[in-house]
Amino acid sequence: MQIEPEDLVPAAAATATATVRPGAGAELRVMALQQFAAVGFAGTSLQQIAASAGYSKSSVLYHFASKDALLGEVLTPAIERLEAILGGFTSTSENAASRHRFIEDFVDFLLQYRLEVHVLINQAQSLKGIAVIDRARALIVRLGDALCQEHATTIDRMRFGVALGGAAYSLVAGLTFFDEDITPTDDLRPALITLLSELLAPVAVRTTQPRK
Amino acid sequence: MQIEPEDLVPAAAATATATVRPGAGAELRVMALQQFAAVGFAGTSLQQIAASAGYSKSSVLYHFASKDALLGEVLTPAIERLEAILGGFTSTSENAASRHRFIEDFVDFLLQYRLEVHVLINQAQSLKGIAVIDRARALIVRLGDALCQEHATTIDRMRFGVALGGAAYSLVAGLTFFDEDITPTDDLRPALITLLSELLAPVAVRTTQPRK
DNA sequence: GCAGGAACTGACCGATCGGTCAGGTAAGGT
DNA sequence: ACCTTACCTGACCGATCGGTCAGTTCCTGC
């Protein structure tokens, strides 16, 4: 890993050609993300990424130092967004309102970065050496701790895992099983909020209420 | 690694047999399944599978016609078990008892074939051409139809997706995030049954539980 | 002893992998 | 005009991929 040469809108701010050029780097990131989510990081070749964006393999390696670095740049925005959400949640006093607010933020995060989340959730274990992946793993552990706190029973931990894995699955992989072109985001958001509230609320209530 | 293949199959080879041979083939299936679940089908090479079992790559291709065929033999037992469970469920009249019975069977299935399920759930879309994968995809769609029936609102479908993806995730991928060596199966089973009942029961008995 | 089959392997094949390198092209500043 | 810089590419590299094939070893039935 190293510092990337530079590709983020250098000429865009320079002159008025910004409208014509969306930027090769950004375009490659999008195509790479789609392929990583569809067939996995190991199953995606630089050749395929380049071809799907209309470039050559050498161009990909010009914009990104390596395949690993490309993965890092693809996933980093999602990780930073989630870190911000988690930071905002842990810095406030925990109650039903703050937890509901967190779930709403988290659902919006899932909807915006669904492909990134899918890659992180399903391939984190197989990409353990890569820096951005380790960072994401640590973040997910922190997320679990923040929601479950110290006295984590098996079912509490599993509520978190099911909510996380289930949301990631149903937003990407699950849709491919049935004919899609359905399920607009407007429909998905309230459904997800309801489901995650059901799954995660008991974990919260447990910390405030003595017993049931 | 280690493993001397001969002490695993001493007597089995003695008697003539038309059935499936326990021995090298079974051992290779186990190692292949672990690798497929850990690093993905595309990320697993025949070389790695062979080495982890103490054989050569040629041996793998002697026992299995191809890498795809190996995947097929690895996943088929799980698919057939799930087909049997689903068949038993759809052939009975649907009520709360039969549905609870189905969830118990399904949880036991998940626990027994957790690696196979993980592979199917997370890699089905990227392996679409392979016969056993297409068979599993059709089965999962049938499973969703059986549980959701015709009046499938977005949240109902999502309950099924979250339950399926969440269970598969928390049984394999989720465990690797936290310190494992915990979560014995005895603990997992009732927790899973509780969670899946919560998620899937409302789909069945929409009229019973008007939440909040 | 010997024939024959099952189990297993090394050598090898064409294709593709991630990655390097030299060079080409167009735009801009001077 | 000249040089620099950003962008992009084809040719090439060693390694590894899935798969084929000829051959060796060992066991069993005759």
Side-chain angles (χ1 to χ4, degrees), chain A residues 21-67:
Chain A
R21 292 294 302 273
E27 196 176 354
L28 287 170
R29 273 193 293 270
V30 171
M31 303 310 297
L33 174 58
Q34 292 178 359
Q35 305 248 6
F36 291 159
V39 297
F41 181 76
T44 303
S45 70
L46 297 178
Q47 198 88 251
Q48 296 167 6
I49 297 171
S52 67
Y55 293 96
S56 71
K57 185 181 70 172
S58 299
S59 264
V60 179
L61 288 163
Y62 167 78
H63 287 284
F64 307 96
S66 67
K67 196 185 178 187

Side-chain angles (χ1 to χ4, degrees), chain B residues 21 56 58-59 62-63:
Chain B
R21 311 200 45 152
S56 72
S58 299
S59 264
Y62 168 76
H63 287 284

Side-chain angles (χ1 to χ4, degrees), chain B:
Chain B
M1 293 298 186
Q2 72 299 3
I3 301 170
E4 286 101 31
E6 50 269 14
D7 41 313
L8 285 179
V9 218
T15 63
T17 156
T19 61
V20 190
R21 311 200 45 152
E27 196 177 354
L28 287 170
R29 272 193 294 269
V30 171
M31 303 310 298
L33 174 59
Q34 292 178 359
Q35 305 248 7
F36 290 160
V39 297
F41 182 76
T44 303
S45 70
L46 297 178
Q47 197 86 253
Q48 295 167 8
I49 297 171
S52 68
Y55 293 96
S56 72
K57 187 182 69 173
S58 299
S59 264
V60 179
L61 288 163
Y62 168 76
H63 287 284
F64 308 95
S66 67
K67 195 185 179 187
D68 287 7
L70 171 57
L71 180 72
E73 293 209 26
V74 161
L75 296 182
T76 294
I79 295 176
E80 289 178 348
R81 175 74 186 116
L82 183 56
E83 279 174 347
I85 292 176
L86 180 59
F89 174 64
T90 55
S91 67
T92 65
S93 66
E94 177 151 356
N95 54 49
S98 73
R99 183 168 279 249
H100 182 72
R101 170 62 186 277
F102 167 77
I103 287 183
E104 278 190 346
D105 288 344
F106 187 63
V107 167
D108 289 334
F109 161 76
L110 288 174
L111 290 170
Q112 182 178 356
Y113 294 102
R114 57 174 82 182
L115 288 183
E116 291 90 336
V117 171
H118 182 253
V119 170
L120 284 173
I121 291 300
N122 288 314
Q123 303 181 50
Q125 56 176 344
S126 64
L127 306 173
K128 222 175 266 187
I130 304 174
V132 68
I133 296 292
D134 294 336
R135 180 181 172 191
R137 291 175 64 90
L139 176 58
I140 292 177
V141 171
R142 273 202 294 141
L143 188 66
D145 289 342
L147 287 173
C148 293
Q149 298 188 343
E150 66 284 355
H151 54 293
T153 66
T154 294
I155 193 167
D156 283 342
R157 283 281 178 190
M158 193 166 301
R159 282 181 183 279
F160 169 69
V162 169
L164 189 60
Y169 168 75
S170 59
L171 280 181
V172 181
L175 298 182
T176 70
F177 278 101
F178 316 103
D179 293 335
E180 29 197 325
D181 58 64
I182 51 169
T183 60
T185 300
D186 305 346
D187 235 17
L188 250 45
R189 204 185 99 103
L192 256 186
I193 290 178
T194 299
L195 272 178
L196 292 198
S197 296
E198 283 181 23
L199 282 169
L200 297 179
V203 186
V205 211
R206 291 178 66 82
T207 61
T208 59
Q209 267 245 350
R211 305 182 336 90
K212 35 178 155 181

Side-chain angles (χ1 to χ4, degrees), chain A residues 88-110:
Chain A
F89 175 64
T90 55
S91 67
T92 65
S93 65
E94 178 152 355
N95 54 51
S98 73
R99 183 168 280 250
H100 182 72
R101 169 65 186 276
F102 167 77
I103 287 183
E104 279 190 345
D105 288 344
F106 187 65
V107 166
D108 289 333
F109 161 77
L110 288 174

Side-chain angles (χ1 to χ4, degrees), chain A residues 141-180:
Chain A
V141 171
R142 274 202 294 141
L143 188 67
D145 290 342
L147 287 174
C148 293
Q149 299 191 344
E150 66 283 357
H151 55 294
T153 66
T154 294
I155 193 168
D156 283 342
R157 284 281 180 189
M158 192 165 302
R159 281 181 183 279
F160 170 70
V162 169
L164 189 60
Y169 168 76
S170 58
L171 280 181
V172 180
L175 298 182
T176 70
F177 278 101
F178 317 101
D179 292 334
E180 32 193 326

